[in-house]
């Protein structure tokens, strides 16, 4: 039986692993992606993590993972399907493939995944011109035409990143005002090959020969609908928490974020939460890492009280 099983190996999960191992807890980290780092692996420059200014997100993920390995955290590549009470004490974690793991406590650190537009052509052309990660797929659009959907920091960063390679980038946003940081907005508006298309939604993604060839867009003020030829579309409309496997087990808000304060304690004794999957105001690497540490402090107290 493990003292703690950490589900997810992004910054929150890896930070929890370091703290748990330093507290001499028998610790397992379960990761379904097959790699660690979570969302940061898709970030080219992390500019706001104290002491590591400008670090590449992938390199940061590798550093975090090797830190957890240094303290001999155990890792398992697997997908968690469900969590049940163990008869005597603790929990049974049910994995895809019917394997089970028994643990005294759990830290959910599964982060969040990409929100989808939910329009015709999106699922069909994912990986064939529809992408959710500009830093992963941007290089395919060298001297081509790309569209970015969204108005937040990620959409602006994606548009700027793509503008370095693509011949033209359309930035399509449903309102006339961008949500992203003013400093990014200034850069976007100063970049010649980025065209901002406000008050507009993408209605349909069209393809030819199995790959994206155009999008159908609608101006929601004028109701004008038109087709725009593109080679790729990057959807950057935010994230959704990865919490469906604990639905009904712990309290969540209406968006599916697990309700917990800074100590990571959920509505269920023995289950803790850290990082972007928790209800909180600021979802950043630095807050995720701090959540991991706090959750382990709560786990230690929980395990002490069990004795
Ligand atoms: P976000 O800030 O929530 O922005 C999502 C954008 O997508 C919004 O502009 C929203 O429009 C739009 N949107 C949402 N649903 C849509 C739909 N169905 N159709 C069309 N548009 C839709 O998300 P994010 O850009 O992914 O950023 C997530 C968090 O990470 C933010 O807190 C952000 O500040 C942070 N972040 C920080 C940095 C940094 O500090 N360097 C970098 C990246 C991200 P509305 O504006 O109309 O709601």
């Amino acid at each position: 039986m493990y003292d703690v099983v950490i589900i997810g190996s992004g910054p929150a999960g890896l930070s929890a692993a370091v703290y748990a191992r330093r507290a001499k807890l028998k610790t397992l980290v379960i990761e379904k992606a097959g790699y660690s780092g979570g969302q940061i692996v898709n970030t080219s420059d992390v500019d706001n993590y104290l002491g590591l200014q400008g670090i590449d997100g992938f390199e940061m993920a590798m550093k975090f993972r090797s830190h957890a390995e240094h303290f001999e955290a155990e890792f398992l590549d697997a997908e968690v399907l469900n969590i049940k009470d163990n008869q005597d004490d603790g929990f049974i974690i049910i994995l895809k493939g019917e394997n089970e793991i028994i643990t005294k406590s759990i830290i959910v650190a599964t982060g969040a995944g990409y929100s989808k537009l939910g329009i015709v052509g999106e699922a069909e052309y994912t990986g064939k011109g529809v992408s959710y990660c500009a830093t992963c797929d941007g290089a395919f659009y060298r001297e081509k035409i790309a569209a970015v959907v969204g108005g937040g920091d990620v959409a602006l960063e994606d548009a700027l990143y793509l503008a370095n390679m693509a011949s033209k980038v359309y930035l399509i946003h449903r309102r006339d005002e961008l949500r992203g940081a003013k400093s990014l907005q200034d850069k976007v508006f100063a970049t010649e090959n980025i065209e901002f298309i406000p008050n507009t939604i993408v209605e349909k993604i069209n393809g030819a020969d199995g790959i994206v060839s155009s999008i159908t867009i609608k101006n929601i003020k004028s109701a004008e609908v038109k087709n725009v030829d593109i080679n790729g579309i990057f959807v950057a409309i935010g994230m959704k928490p990865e919490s469906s496997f604990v639905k009904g087990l712990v309290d969540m808000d209406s968006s599916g974020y697990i309700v917990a304060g800074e100590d990571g304690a959920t509505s269920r004794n023995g289950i803790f939460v850290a990082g972007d999957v928790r209800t909180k105001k600021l979802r950043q690497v630095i807050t995720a890492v701090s959540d991991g540490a706090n959750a382990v402090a709560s786990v230690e107290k929980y395990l002490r009280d069990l004795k």
Side-chain angles (χ1 to χ4, degrees), residues 45 48 116-117 149-155 157 173-175 177-179 184 201 236-239 282-284:
D45 275 336
N48 50 7
K116 307 278 181 349
L117 288 167
V149 187
D153 284 334
V154 171
E157 283 185 348
H173 183 38
R174 62 185 179 183
R175 292 185 297 131
E177 193 188 328
L178 291 164
R179 178 186 292 278
L184 288 171
I201 57 167
I237 60 166
M239 311 292 288
L282 185 63
R283 294 191 170 85
Q284 297 277 294

Side-chain angles (χ1 to χ4, degrees), residues 152-174:
D153 284 334
V154 171
L156 303 189
E157 283 185 348
D158 283 1
L160 289 165
Y161 181 77
L162 290 164
N164 285 325
M165 286 165 280
S167 54
K168 170 101 188 173
V169 178
Y170 295 105
L171 175 61
I172 301 166
H173 183 38
R174 62 185 179 183

Side-chain angles (χ1 to χ4, degrees), residues 16-75:
V18 167
Y19 274 76
R21 286 301 301 138
R22 280 179 46 82
K24 301 281 181 242
L25 302 181
K26 187 167 162 54
T27 305
L28 176 70
V29 183
I30 302 178
E31 174 56 64
K32 78 166 179 185
Y35 58 85
S36 287
Q39 296 163 52
I40 52 163
V41 297
N42 301 326
T43 303
S44 48
D45 275 336
V46 180
D47 239 1
N48 50 7
Y49 192 89
L50 190 68
L52 295 176
Q53 190 260 320
I55 190 170
D56 174 78
F58 184 77
E59 188 191 342
M60 188 179 211
M62 294 303 100
K63 274 183 189 286
F64 287 174
R65 167 86 186 223
S66 69
H67 196 165
E69 283 175 349
H70 172 79
F71 289 111
E72 297 174 344
E74 258 182 75
F75 284 86

Side-chain angles (χ1 to χ4, degrees), residues 185-205:
Q185 291 190 31
D186 290 347
K187 283 186 195 164
V188 162
F189 292 128
T191 304
E192 268 182 15
N193 60 340
I194 298 179
E195 181 179 334
F196 179 44
I197 307 183
N199 302 313
T200 298
I201 57 167
V202 181
E203 286 198 321
K204 208 163 132 231
I205 299 169

Side-chain angles (χ1 to χ4, degrees), residues 219-242:
N219 184 306
I220 51 176
K221 291 227 158 127
S222 67
E224 184 199 356
V225 175
K226 63 178 179 182
N227 269 11
V228 178
D229 289 342
I230 57 156
N231 303 105
I233 174 166
F234 289 82
V235 180
I237 60 166
M239 311 292 288
K240 265 182 125 157
E242 295 273 0

Side-chain angles (χ1 to χ4, degrees), residues 260-290:
E262 201 182 19
D263 63 1
T266 70
S267 57
R268 186 66 180 248
N269 246 352
I271 302 183
F272 302 85
V273 62
D276 283 9
V277 71
R278 154 171 105 81
T279 48
K280 62 199 288 194
K281 285 220 172 94
L282 185 63
R283 294 191 170 85
Q284 297 277 294
V285 179
I286 204 145
T287 62
V289 162
S290 129

